[in-house]
Amino acid sequence: SGMGELHLEIIQERLILEHNVNANVGSPRVSYRETITQAAEAEGKFVQQSGGRGQYGVCYLKVEPFRNDEPEHIAFESKIYAGSIPKEYIPSVERGARNAAKSGILGGYPVINIKITLLDGKYHEVDSSDLAFEIAGSLGFKEAMQKAGPILLEPIMNVEAVTPEEYMGNIIGDLNSRRAVIGEMIDRGHLKVIRCKAPLNEMFNYS
């Protein structure tokens, strides 16, 4: 790991020159996130009957946008009061939903800023198990997320470009081509300073 591309290039050279390690280097990858734009409900159902003991777990989940500081930025709440799912299986539903949220449906990126609510469910006295409800929680979460308007989030960088005035038009044109949103332009001595916000994915090799 490093502070930026130049830092990583120096580490790569040291690996090769000082340690004789041939480094296989790919392009930097952006760490995206996924979230949802609306509330949605879905059923998660895992039922297997194949002679002898089977597997049975059914849960009804609601997902909604919710900014929070919970673990992985995912809040979980159970509204099961009447015993439609025994309380010992509720953590299994939560575990299944949280595991499913580690890999979203758009690009497999972690899902953040959501709330998952367990609304209801069904169980079988013989066939229900922790595993059945964990899988049901995972299936229910993925189904609900499909309906909840999933979107991709990307990291945005604060960029400051310093340039002589005669190059300012070219610099602004290049930044615009990188999906930058120009903020302010100020003077610094005889130079111009352009401040903007730009997606990290567009700024590799910028310097």
Side-chain angles (χ1 to χ4, degrees):
S1 62
M3 297 291 289
E5 285 173 277
L6 180 61
H7 192 187
L8 293 173
E9 285 168 13
I10 292 167
I11 293 170
Q12 180 192 342
E13 284 183 19
R14 289 187 60 197
L15 281 171
I16 295 168
L17 297 175
E18 294 179 24
H19 304 288
N20 295 318
V21 174
N22 258 330
N24 181 18
V25 182
S27 299
R29 287 186 296 177
V30 175
S31 181
Y32 294 99
R33 294 289 183 269
E34 298 183 25
T35 194
I36 56 175
T37 56
Q38 62 198 48
E41 296 180 15
E43 176 190 58
K45 184 176 184 179
F46 183 67
V47 178
Q48 283 187 339
Q49 306 295 142
S50 56
R53 184 167 179 178
Q55 295 281 5
Y56 189 97
V58 179
C59 63
Y60 298 92
L61 296 178
K62 177 183 178 183
V63 296
E64 58 193 311
F66 183 60
R67 284 186 173 271
N68 64 86
D69 293 316
E70 300 280 328
E72 281 91 41
H73 300 285
I74 297 170
F76 182 89
E77 181 185 4
S78 171
K79 290 194 172 176
I80 301 283
Y81 300 119
S84 53
I85 298 177
K87 64 178 183 295
E88 63 263 28
Y89 292 137
I90 291 172
S92 300
V93 175
E94 178 178 1
R95 188 163 56 249
R98 284 186 179 276
N99 284 338
K102 290 177 181 175
S103 178
I105 62 171
L106 294 177
Y109 300 103
V111 181
I112 64 168
N113 290 338
I114 60 166
K115 181 178 181 180
I116 306 166
T117 305
L118 175 58
L119 301 172
D120 201 359
K122 299 174 187 172
Y123 78 104
H124 187 281
E125 287 194 1
V126 176
D127 292 343
S128 285
S129 66
D130 287 324
L131 177 64
F133 276 103
E134 186 172 334
I135 295 173
S138 173
L139 295 173
F141 174 81
K142 288 180 178 175
E143 180 69 26
M145 193 171 170
Q146 292 273 10
K147 303 175 182 176
I151 56 169
L152 208 58
L153 303 173
E154 64 177 336
I156 303 294
M157 312 304 289
N158 286 320
V159 179
E160 185 177 276
V162 183
T163 176
E165 187 170 0
E166 59 264 33
Y167 301 117
M168 201 161 142
N170 289 343
I171 298 287
I172 290 174
D174 181 60
L175 287 168
N176 283 332
S177 74
R178 296 170 184 266
R179 296 190 286 134
V181 176
I182 306 295
E184 60 177 348
M185 288 172 274
I186 60 173
D187 294 322
R188 185 180 294 170
H190 62 283
L191 297 171
K192 296 287 186 181
V193 179
I194 305 162
R195 290 179 178 150
C196 65
K197 294 182 182 296
L200 173 62
N201 190 47
E202 303 288 346
M203 297 305 292
F204 289 126
N205 297 318
Y206 182 69
S207 58

